[in-house]
Amino acid sequence: PSPCSNAGLGWRVSLGEIDPPCSPEDATSLVYEDGSGADHTFSATLHPGEPAQAGTLYTRDGSYLRLRENADGSDELDYPDGSVHRFEHQAGDDPMRLRLTQIRDGFGNHMDVQYGTGVWTITDAPSGGWITRTQRIYFRSDLPSSPQTIDHVDLAGPGGTVSTYRLAYTVETIPRGCPNNDPMPGSYNATVPLLTSVTLPDGSTFSMAQGAPSPDYVEPAPLPPPPGTQTCATGSGDILGLRLPTLGRIEWTYQTYRFPDPSQTSPPHPQPSWRTRTQGVATRTTRDQAGNVLGVWSYATSLTPKTPGPEDELVNSVTNPLGQTTVRYFSVSLTNSFTGWSACDYGQPFTRNTTI
């Protein structure tokens, strides 16, 4: 399981971190994981061939983030909107890990974050003497494979009131998903917390059923110990359904998404072989409170053929309930080049196979 999951297997609440514990282990540059979970890597310059400036790094993924390394060991990240995110090391963390401690703008407004034992305290301090608001995220430490798991969140409400969101879990032993690079000393299984509900301040809930007869997670039976022939289970832990506070449901099915095989490059690309495939959504279905289908979205994915391989382009299409299809193109090239198809553009949403 990911060491960054803090709200059950596969779920994470984050304010943003630099070099979090779930950073790719083969990353060759600094990694910033933003609050949405997206990873951004940094280069010494914004564009190739430009002169570098000591202590300053840039993203090249279209986010236009500039990182400044300070003498006190903190980092500050400049966003295009003028806001500045400050990151500092916290006691007990890995030396390279920096967590968000402040967001400020050019008008004196700022939000500050303190990381205490079992609680994060987020203080919103606007300029001009306005009322300061405080939000808190509380953690528990009694669940396996998760040193810190969110128990509840308190948000400031009007008139000094507090709105509380509560999370509930169940603990299950399931096989590790395929593919993976997890160390497996003595077991192909993992005992993990599964998020089963989020209760809102008004008592309504988002919920995921667990166990028979209709679980909302993929829960294969645990695998026998080594030396077994099966070492993982495809889709293990994937979410299958979510019941909404309105009593409607969202349901998902899955398929295999394939990516270029790095062993086909010359010389072989260092990208790990386990990144050549993953589970992705095949269908998304919405239902009303009576279980009637409201709509189905279908997803298809393919690699544009290339001889010799590996491929440079991934095509993803989504068909909505009206039968309308949207096609998106992504660069997934592993070519070591600064012109044409390039690994520098990996994941970017464009194609080089069509001219205007």
Side-chain angles (χ1 to χ4, degrees):
S2 169
C4 282
S5 293
N6 61 6
L9 180 68
W11 298 94
R12 172 163 167 75
V13 174
S14 171
L15 303 174
E17 295 186 22
I18 291 177
D19 272 353
C22 49
S23 295
E25 62 182 26
D26 61 332
T28 57
S29 63
L30 205 62
V31 175
Y32 165 54
E33 182 194 75
D34 66 25
S36 73
D39 286 340
H40 305 269
T41 58
F42 290 89
S43 300
T45 60
L46 181 59
H47 304 104
E50 294 178 339
Q53 181 179 353
T56 304
L57 301 173
Y58 302 86
T59 59
R60 294 181 177 176
D61 57 8
S63 57
Y64 290 95
L65 303 177
R66 179 177 62 188
L67 184 141
R68 293 177 285 111
E69 299 174 327
N70 298 324
D72 63 0
S74 67
D75 286 352
E76 292 192 325
L77 199 59
D78 299 322
Y79 268 70
D81 64 1
S83 63
V84 178
H85 294 215
R86 181 179 177 86
F87 299 83
E88 299 178 75
H89 181 261
Q90 304 297 313
D93 285 350
D94 292 337
M96 295 297 293
R97 182 185 183 189
L98 303 178
R99 292 200 249 177
L100 179 74
T101 57
Q102 186 184 73
I103 300 177
R104 66 181 187 272
D105 64 17
F107 304 97
N109 304 297
H110 57 95
M111 181 200 78
D112 303 297
V113 186
Q114 291 182 319
Y115 300 92
T117 302
V119 61
W120 295 354
T121 302
I122 306 166
T123 304
D124 180 10
S127 63
W130 294 95
I131 296 175
T132 297
R133 297 172 298 177
T134 299
Q135 337 286 338
R136 291 183 174 89
I137 304 175
Y138 291 89
F139 294 83
R140 54 191 289 188
S141 58
D142 60 334
L143 297 177
S145 304
S146 186
Q148 279 198 324
T149 308
I150 294 176
D151 181 73
H152 65 281
V153 178
D154 285 348
L155 300 183
T161 60
V162 176
S163 299
T164 299
Y165 297 74
R166 298 190 179 277
L167 285 68
Y169 308 88
T170 187
V171 174
E172 291 293 324
T173 298
I174 57 176
R176 299 175 188 271
C178 296
N180 69 72
N181 67 336
D182 291 346
M184 301 183 189
S187 176
Y188 299 135
N189 306 305
T191 301
V192 296
L194 298 178
L195 179 65
T196 54
S197 68
V198 178
T199 301
L200 309 185
D202 64 0
S204 61
T205 62
F206 292 90
S207 62
M208 292 76 79
Q210 182 274 327
S214 300
D216 282 333
Y217 288 100
V218 178
E219 300 178 39
L223 298 174
T229 56
Q230 184 179 353
T231 61
C232 59
T234 299
S236 184
D238 286 351
I239 185 172
L240 296 173
L242 173 66
R243 186 179 180 88
L244 307 175
T246 57
L247 303 183
R249 278 179 58 83
I250 304 175
E251 298 173 346
W252 296 270
T253 63
Y254 296 89
Q255 62 185 320
T256 298
Y257 282 56
R258 299 194 178 276
F259 302 93
D261 184 351
S263 66
Q264 296 182 23
T265 62
S266 182
H269 191 274
Q271 177 172 296
S273 59
W274 53 267
R275 290 189 185 171
T276 60
R277 60 187 175 93
T278 189
Q279 286 291 98
V281 172
T283 62
R284 175 180 179 269
T285 302
T286 56
R287 297 180 182 271
D288 64 18
Q289 63 179 13
N292 300 310
V293 174
L294 299 176
V296 178
W297 287 257
S298 299
Y299 300 76
T301 180
S302 63
L303 290 168
T304 302
K306 175 190 173 184
T307 303
E311 300 85 351
D312 293 318
E313 180 182 76
L314 181 142
V315 181
N316 190 45
S317 59
V318 182
T319 303
N320 66 23
L322 299 177
Q324 301 163 334
T325 299
T326 301
V327 181
R328 296 178 174 89
Y329 300 83
F330 298 88
S331 174
V332 290
S333 176
L334 302 178
T335 303
N336 185 18
S337 170
F338 290 124
T339 60
W341 291 106
S342 170
C344 297
D345 300 324
Y346 196 97
Q348 294 297 306
F350 68 86
T351 178
R352 295 183 185 275
N353 290 331
T354 299
T355 57
I356 298 177

